[in-house]
Amino acid sequence: MKNRIYYGQYSLQYWIELMLSKNIICPPYQRRFVWKASDVQNFIENIKNDDLFIPPITIGVVKTRDINNGNNSQICNYIIDGQQRLTSLLLTYFRVIPRPIKEFTDNSIIEEENVESKDVITKWQFSQLLDLSPDINKIHAKAMISGKYKEFEIEGIDEDFFSKHFMGFSYIVPDSDNEEEQTKYFSQLFNTLNAQGTPLTPRESRYALYFMNPK
């Protein structure tokens, strides 16, 4: 299947707006959010300090049947690669992070000292945060009241940070109007990007260090 692929970059603020408006969503097969607070902080600090290259977010467009509107179709922009990065961005914006719990669907919160031995979060994606309130100004308060989130604030992050920093994207438009073909293609692409990569051996990993400093 031939595809059209577009490249560019958006400000962090615009990425947040895309998530808030549900213009981009996680497809059903996307895994849960798995980054820890330290991972989120490192990611944000890297953007803030321009320390590392941030891989572009991969978005795929899929036409799906609109079950609420007869046989008409609707466009869904699926996050194919970059869910952890985008979720981290949203959590930083709202200054919250999910608490570690045995199952996100129940209220039994794990004691902090046992976090390392348990799944940090189960079956949680950023859509659950957005579902707390249609008013974005109330999401932080709603999150804290729910008991399922805790305060998460990174020093030096303000509105200018979101408007003056950028993340790239690759936007894939399949050359097919068939929903089944589109979904199959993107699920295979997701699997290729996230599951089929062959890890570097320790020796192969060291080659990069040798290149930077032959001594």
Side-chain angles (χ1 to χ4, degrees), residues 170-188:
S170 54
Y171 186 69
I172 305 173
V173 182
D175 187 22
S176 171
D177 288 332
N178 184 285
E179 179 182 354
E180 185 176 345
E181 289 182 3
Q182 294 173 349
T183 302
K184 180 180 178 181
Y185 170 76
F186 284 122
S187 62
Q188 290 175 339

Side-chain angles (χ1 to χ4, degrees), residues 20 94 130 132-140 142:
L20 291 176
F94 284 116
L130 300 182
L132 289 174
S133 175
D135 184 348
I136 64 171
N137 296 314
K138 295 181 179 179
I139 287 180
H140 177 87
K142 291 278 188 179

Side-chain angles (χ1 to χ4, degrees), residues 26-82:
C26 287
Y29 48 78
Q30 271 277 15
R31 66 177 178 173
R32 61 185 174 86
F33 179 65
V34 297
W35 280 12
K36 298 178 182 179
S38 57
D39 299 320
V40 176
Q41 176 139 3
N42 287 337
F43 168 68
I44 296 298
E45 292 289 352
N46 286 333
I47 294 179
K48 178 184 173 185
N49 300 323
D50 296 320
D51 284 345
L52 294 173
F53 166 73
I54 306 297
I57 306 297
T58 301
I59 304 294
V61 60
V62 174
K63 276 188 178 181
T64 63
R65 290 183 296 275
D66 187 350
I67 59 176
N68 297 317
N69 193 15
N71 294 321
N72 292 335
S73 61
Q74 60 180 355
I75 299 296
C76 289
N77 294 312
Y78 282 152
I79 301 169
I80 307 301
D81 185 59

